[in-house]
Amino acid sequence: MTTPLRSRSTTRAPVKVQAPGKINIHLGVGGATAEGYHELATVFQALNLGETLTLIPGGTGSIIVQGRYAGSAVPADETNLARRAIDLLIAALEDERDVDVLRGIDIVIDKQVPVAGGMGGGSADAAAALVGAAHLVGGVAEDVLHDCGVAVGADVAFLLRGGTAVGHGRGERLSPVLTRGTFHWVMATSARQLPTPDVYARFDELNPDPAPAEIPAGVLTALAAGDPDALAASAANDLTEAAVSFMPEIAEVMEAGRAAGALLPLLSGSGPTIGFLARDARHALDLAVLLQATRGVNEALRATGPAPGAQVVDIVG
């Protein structure tokens, strides 16, 4: 359903936006399509470990990366996903709207989601940029934001919405999922990175004739009940074997997490970050302490879900 444009007036006050990271609670992977994408059946959950962007109109088009992962290889040119998202929104609106306020906009990214770890940090940047840009031009229809998000990457569409959702196709066809309570995760990051295309290519090698992607009924039942033990018995990630073939230490860290009491070790997206499901906040704290001392773990970060999607949190000035 299309949401009407709220207003056509623009503003030049800087705007601050937050967007969540994510974990794929379940990731079923089918065969590749003619376009080269894989048919997915996934359950996304947005996490409170997220990104904050400040969009500053009237600038020079600069991108400044700060925060926990400021030293990571985040591009500061037109290939940055936040910049691409704004450029796509300009193209989508310029025939009918005054979008001059979006040209030359400066972007300050407070980077709190691990880079290239399967948690959707770059996609969160794009989602935040779209929501902030929409605010600056006085409001944009939800379907326009969705389409621009999908053009950047399939995860962006979910991070615009947040919560918990089923995704089909590339993950862009979304349906909300009933979820009770709060799920507690410890995200164990790696000092190494795993390129997503390489993991999918290895999946194809290992699964020349994959079954259609599907979501076990037990996953949705566990989410509706708010039952982490039941979720641990049902959720899985079909990319795990492919990721482990590149990085055997992923399997070692998963086993260490199980030994430390995690209900479930779950590869996050295409990895190499691993999400460990905990029973509650105290259990998550204990897990984080043990995992932080585990060989192969760079950081053990606590997170909870579901979290809201991208949203404006402050108008600066």
Side-chain angles (χ1 to χ4, degrees), residues 18-314:
Q18 289 180 343
K22 60 85 182 174
I23 187 169
N24 296 79
I25 288 178
H26 179 82
L27 181 56
V29 182
T33 66
E35 293 79 21
Y37 296 106
H38 288 75
E39 288 289 338
L40 304 180
T42 187
V43 179
F44 294 107
Q45 184 162 92
L47 301 177
N48 66 342
L49 184 65
E51 305 276 80
T52 301
L53 267 67
T54 303
L55 305 185
I56 306 170
T60 60
S62 65
I63 298 175
I64 299 170
V65 181
Q66 57 189 32
R68 189 182 193 111
Y69 300 102
S72 302
V74 178
D77 57 17
E78 68 278 359
T79 64
N80 182 278
L81 297 189
R83 175 67 66 200
R84 285 176 56 192
I86 292 175
D87 289 344
L88 285 165
L89 188 61
I90 290 172
L93 298 178
E94 61 185 349
D95 289 342
E96 59 179 81
R97 302 285 294 277
D98 177 7
V99 293
D100 284 347
V101 69
L102 302 182
R103 303 186 195 279
I105 200 165
D106 290 338
I107 304 172
V108 180
I109 302 174
D110 183 7
K111 199 78 187 153
Q112 298 295 327
V113 176
V115 176
M119 291 183 63
S123 295
D125 294 341
L130 286 171
V131 168
H135 171 84
L136 290 172
V137 299
V140 174
E142 287 182 7
D143 61 339
V144 175
L145 293 182
H146 175 90
D147 291 347
C148 289
V150 171
V152 177
D155 289 349
V156 181
F158 167 69
L159 296 174
L160 286 166
R161 301 171 55 150
T164 308
V166 166
H168 286 101
R170 290 189 292 139
E172 83 283 6
R173 301 200 308 270
L174 297 165
S175 302
V177 170
L178 173 64
T179 307
R180 286 191 173 89
T182 299
F183 288 84
H184 296 266
W185 300 90
V186 177
M187 310 305 293
T189 71
S190 170
R192 297 174 60 187
Q193 296 181 357
L194 263 181
T196 296
D198 292 353
V199 177
Y200 275 96
R202 183 62 54 84
F203 172 85
D204 291 338
E205 294 173 8
L206 295 171
N207 301 274
D209 187 23
E214 59 181 22
I215 297 168
V219 171
L220 302 182
T221 301
L223 289 168
D227 186 341
D229 289 286
L231 183 61
S234 303
N237 184 331
D238 285 351
L239 294 178
T240 302
E241 183 182 7
V244 169
S245 73
F246 285 108
M247 292 178 57
E249 59 265 38
I250 289 175
E252 296 169 7
V253 173
M254 285 182 164
E255 184 56 36
R258 283 193 185 276
L263 302 181
L264 171 72
L266 191 65
L267 190 71
S268 181
S270 59
T273 298
I274 305 164
F276 292 90
L277 181 59
R279 190 166 285 109
D280 52 33
R282 179 55 187 266
H283 187 201
L285 177 58
D286 291 343
L287 272 177
V289 171
L290 292 168
L291 285 166
Q292 187 64 66
T294 298
R295 181 176 176 272
V297 174
N298 189 42
E299 294 177 290
L301 308 171
R302 286 182 291 153
T304 60
Q311 57 185 334
V312 173
V313 294
D314 193 18

